[in-house]
């Protein structure tokens, strides 16, 4: 079974602030402009919705209003996908070609490549194992994680330190490509003060 990593460049603080904002205008815009996308999601998760999961819009509304969230933990994935939609709306999608699709322990392999280059401030596995911003409930799928502006800046510093030291460990070509993508994400973040990276594993 394969997975995919979707990565967004965005102002993490600004996007988090939408949770519990009660912004009805935002909800109206999403329903008007992206109604087809919401309907497509509802068709995809029709069996879960038939068993009581919220629709895409209901989940989005709960996220924007900070709740209430359903008691059935098996339905919490809808709130995570609703937050992903907010990240899509407020952020910029970054190239994920080396992470879509992926199988097995690929994220750990890329992390090993980052570590070999002295980069320990960030981890792609954090996009798989992290938690959604409070008060959103935890869910296994989609997985979520963040690289803060500070983490991105520190990781780039670590890479430059490795380059200055002349340390170039041998890495598999596919790992090199994925690490290069990661460095590109971080450079995008560094070019936008206050911006970080949000990643979803699904």
């Amino acid at each position: 079974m394969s997975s995919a990593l979707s990565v967004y460049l965005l102002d993490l603080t600004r996007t988090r602030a939408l949770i519990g904002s009660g912004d009805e205008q935002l909800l109206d815009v999403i329903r008007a402009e992206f109604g087809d996308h919401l309907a497509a999601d509802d068709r995809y998760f029709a069996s879960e919705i038939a068993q009581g999961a919220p629709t895409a819009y209901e989940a989005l509304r709960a996220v924007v209003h900070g709740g209430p969230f359903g008691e059935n933990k098996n339905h919490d994935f809808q709130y995570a996908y609703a937050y992903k939609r907010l990240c899509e709306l407020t952020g910029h999608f970054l190239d994920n070609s080396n992470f879509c699709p992926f199988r097995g322990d690929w994220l750990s392999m890329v992390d090993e490549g980052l570590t070999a280059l002295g980069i320990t401030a960030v981890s792609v596995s954090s996009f798989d194992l992290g938690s959604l911003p409070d008060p959103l409930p935890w869910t296994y799928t989609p997985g979520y994680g963040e690289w803060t502006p500070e983490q991105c800046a520190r990781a780039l510093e670590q890479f430059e330190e490795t380059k200055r030291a002349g340390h170039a460990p041998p890495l598999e070509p596919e790992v090199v490509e994925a690490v290069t993508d990661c460095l590109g994400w971080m450079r995008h973040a560094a070019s936008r003060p206050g911006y970080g990276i949000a990643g979803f594993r699904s």
Side-chain angles (χ1 to χ4, degrees), residues 32-48:
E33 298 295 328
F34 301 97
D36 291 345
H37 296 276
L38 297 173
D41 286 349
D42 287 347
R43 288 191 295 273
Y44 187 82
F45 292 116
S47 61
E48 289 84 353

Side-chain angles (χ1 to χ4, degrees), residues 179-200:
V179 167
T180 300
D181 279 352
C182 294
L183 290 167
W185 302 342
M186 290 182 271
R187 291 187 179 111
H188 279 300
S191 71
R192 301 284 296 272
Y195 274 56
I197 306 296
F200 293 83

Side-chain angles (χ1 to χ4, degrees), residues 138-153:
W138 181 88
T139 179
Y140 176 72
T141 299
Y144 176 77
E146 299 176 347
W147 292 353
T148 66
E150 295 76 18
Q151 287 174 313
C152 290

Side-chain angles (χ1 to χ4, degrees), residues 8-17 83 90-91 149 193-197:
Y8 302 90
L9 172 72
L10 73 171
D11 184 327
L12 294 168
T13 301
R14 177 170 166 258
T15 304
R16 285 194 217 107
Y83 187 65
T90 59
Y195 274 56
I197 306 296

Side-chain angles (χ1 to χ4, degrees), residues 85-98:
R85 190 172 301 281
L86 293 179
C87 291
E88 291 171 347
L89 290 171
T90 59
H92 304 279
F93 184 76
L94 298 174
D95 180 21
N96 68 340
S97 55
N98 285 296

